[in-house]
Amino acid sequence: QVQLVESGGGLVQVGGSLRLSCSASGGTFSRYTMGWFRQAPGKEREFVARIWRRGGNVYSTDYADSVKGRATVSRHNALNTVYLEMNNLQPEDTAVYYCAADTTHEGVLDSDYEYWGQGTQVTVSS
């Protein structure tokens, strides 16, 4: 069983930046694909970014087109934590942000992720 707890959300002005954190407990964190998703009011949940293990200590990352160039996903395995840094935030980035863990795949599909956090609200104000 893996427990995930997000933090770092809040109110940010347009053009601002923030860093979300997701702390994991249970299992072997370094092996997991970790993903970030978000859900805006009235919209479906969407993929934001993921980071997965290629082998050894080599990891790859992937981003949604909507955040590419503005977001960076990273992880600190010793702290069992994954981060999502976003800059140049826009009102359309307002959403609840979730982290998720895929313990067996590379997290290509939403359905690959078995464990989800409770989410953290990010509100971008103009």
Side-chain angles (χ1 to χ4, degrees):
Q1 197 77 359
V2 177
Q3 292 79 42
L4 303 172
V5 178
E6 303 95 336
S7 61
L11 180 64
V12 184
Q13 290 191 333
V14 169
S17 301
L18 56 70
R19 185 176 80 161
L20 304 180
S21 301
C22 173
S23 177
S25 60
T28 308
F29 178 78
S30 63
R31 297 180 181 178
Y32 300 159
T33 294
M34 298 301 297
W36 284 96
F37 296 79
R38 65 186 182 185
Q39 187 166 20
K43 295 187 177 181
E44 293 187 355
R45 185 177 64 200
E46 64 174 359
F47 165 76
V48 177
R50 65 183 171 118
I51 180 167
W52 73 98
R53 187 183 184 194
R54 287 280 195 186
N57 291 322
V58 178
Y59 291 83
S60 291
T61 58
D62 183 30
Y63 300 91
D65 288 343
S66 58
V67 302
K68 200 167 290 184
R70 302 189 297 124
T72 302
V73 59
S74 61
R75 63 195 297 158
H76 194 310
N77 289 335
L79 297 179
N80 286 358
T81 301
V82 63
Y83 305 98
L84 178 68
E85 295 188 61
M86 292 188 65
N87 54 51
N88 192 24
L89 286 161
Q90 301 298 313
E92 52 266 33
D93 294 315
T94 295
V96 177
Y97 284 71
Y98 299 91
C99 73
D102 174 357
T103 64
T104 57
H105 303 89
E106 292 182 353
V108 176
L109 303 175
D110 289 19
S111 57
D112 289 340
Y113 294 85
E114 305 108 301
Y115 302 101
W116 295 79
Q118 293 299 305
T120 185
Q121 175 72 47
V122 172
T123 302
V124 183
S125 68
S126 54

